[in-house]
Amino acid sequence: MQIDRQTLEKLEKLSHLKIAEENRVKVLDQLTEILEYVENLNELDTSGLESYFSTLEGGTPLRADEPYNDPEVPRIILDHAPESRDDFFIVPAIIE
């Protein structure tokens, strides 16, 4: 499949990109190469293969969803704040 200048202009408009005139030929060639590669992939016979969401046997392992509870973390965070009091950040008033 060959991409022409008109198709490239449509792609530019859809992607909100502007391709410099001196780069147009190079981009057209690169896009054509990409499409030729994808067309080669379409020739593969995958009818005997199963679809997978993961390459791991049994799927992706999940960790236990346990909250991290360290009482030192709030203190460490507040120690780096410009100003804090009673476990709260003190920020300048923005509404009179």
Side-chain angles (χ1 to χ4, degrees):
M1 178 177 196
Q2 181 72 29
I3 294 184
D4 58 4
R5 293 183 75 76
Q6 183 179 8
T7 306
L8 183 61
E9 289 171 6
K10 287 180 183 178
L11 290 171
E12 271 185 296
K13 185 176 180 180
L14 289 171
S15 64
H16 297 285
L17 295 174
K18 180 65 180 157
I19 300 171
E21 194 61 41
E22 60 269 10
N23 293 334
R24 286 185 174 279
V25 173
K26 183 178 177 182
V27 171
L28 283 169
D29 292 341
Q30 290 174 341
L31 289 173
T32 300
E33 283 182 39
I34 291 169
L35 288 177
E36 287 173 358
Y37 178 75
V38 171
E39 285 178 358
N40 287 338
L41 293 176
N42 286 336
E43 293 176 9
L44 295 175
D45 180 20
T46 59
S47 60
L49 300 176
E50 290 184 40
S51 297
Y52 291 102
F53 291 104
S54 173
T55 57
L56 300 174
E57 186 71 31
T60 306
L62 300 176
R63 65 171 175 82
D65 191 13
E66 298 170 357
Y68 181 74
N69 190 6
D70 184 355
E72 289 297 308
V73 171
R75 184 195 56 76
I76 294 169
I77 293 171
L78 289 169
D79 285 347
H80 290 87
E83 190 177 350
S84 65
R85 184 179 338 121
D86 298 327
D87 295 332
F88 291 99
F89 293 104
I90 304 298
V91 296
I94 57 170
I95 300 175
E96 298 287 330

